[in-house]
Amino acid sequence: MGIQTWFIFLGVAAMTLIVWDGRRRKGRRRAADAGSSMGLAAPLSAAQVSLQAFVPVDEPVGGSVSAEVRKTVVPLVEEGSRIGMATRVLGNLTACEPVVIKGSIEGAVIAQDHHVMVTMSGRVSSHLEGREVSVDGQVAGVVKAGDKLTLLSRARVEGSLAAERLECLAGAHIRGEVVALGLSGGATLVACAQAEPGLP
């Protein structure tokens, strides 16, 4: 065999290994995704907002106090509009699909019949409205959820909150008022909630 034949043989072998490795990695990724979703009591739907699981941590050798770590699982939001981290919108956004905000919006965000999520890096000022609203970033202004409003642990909200149901995880900060929709006259549940100095 000549040198050219050996090069062809080595090239084919290398390509075979690359394809095999890619398939192996893809299979591992699928198995990990399937395993993590099977570990939950029930599969998450796009309408669910969050699920908490508590993972105990062993006691330290020198101490007698046990610790507990809180893990928040945020569901996948079905396809829809996504505002990226490097995007800044000046104006109003009206959507007939779910919205995920990782960037900054100075104006109203309205998706009345859909889920709206403000991620850790997201910022919204003015008005935020959706059927279900999840906040893990910063919002200033009116937040209105037709069904459920969830404030995740890194949420920083200043303004008026209105929802039929409110879920607030430890670590979220609110400055303003919370109104329950569906109660007679929109009764105020919490007014001027305690906030830390320097809240945006």
Side-chain angles (χ1 to χ4, degrees):
M1 276 195 290
I3 191 89
Q4 294 173 340
T5 307
W6 280 107
F7 280 127
I8 291 172
F9 177 73
L10 288 174
V12 169
M15 291 301 293
T16 304
L17 285 174
I18 290 170
V19 169
W20 175 79
D21 186 52
R23 287 183 181 167
R24 182 182 59 85
R25 288 183 184 200
K26 187 185 273 186
R28 278 188 179 176
R29 204 173 308 132
R30 284 185 185 158
D33 291 345
S36 66
S37 66
M38 286 183 177
L40 300 173
L44 291 172
S45 69
Q48 290 176 304
V49 178
S50 69
L51 173 69
Q52 292 182 353
F54 294 97
V55 182
V57 177
D58 293 332
E59 291 183 9
V61 177
S64 61
V65 179
S66 65
E68 197 174 72
V69 177
R70 181 173 296 204
K71 180 182 176 186
T72 302
V73 179
V74 179
L76 297 173
V77 178
E78 61 191 50
E79 282 298 316
S81 298
R82 299 187 187 278
I83 307 300
M85 289 177 66
T87 304
R88 182 174 177 224
V89 177
L90 301 173
N92 297 334
L93 173 69
T94 303
C96 294
E97 61 185 356
V99 179
V100 176
I101 302 166
K102 294 182 178 182
S104 172
I105 298 181
E106 295 179 24
V109 177
I110 300 173
Q112 288 181 338
D113 298 325
H114 299 281
H115 184 239
V116 179
M117 169 101 185
V118 180
T119 65
M120 178 180 66
S121 61
R123 291 174 174 242
V124 176
S125 60
S126 180
H127 185 86
L128 180 63
E129 184 176 347
R131 180 177 45 84
E132 291 188 3
V133 178
S134 303
V135 178
D136 202 19
Q138 298 180 7
V139 178
V142 176
V143 180
K144 184 177 177 184
D147 182 26
K148 184 177 180 184
L149 171 61
T150 302
L151 301 178
L152 299 170
S153 59
R154 293 174 295 239
R156 302 290 181 266
V157 180
E158 182 177 354
S160 174
L161 306 176
E164 285 190 18
R165 297 182 296 150
L166 173 65
E167 179 182 14
C168 187
L169 301 183
H173 296 277
I174 305 170
R175 184 178 2 192
E177 70 174 5
V178 179
V179 177
L181 296 177
L183 295 180
S184 59
T188 301
L189 295 181
V190 178
C192 298
Q194 192 174 19
E196 285 188 359
L199 183 66

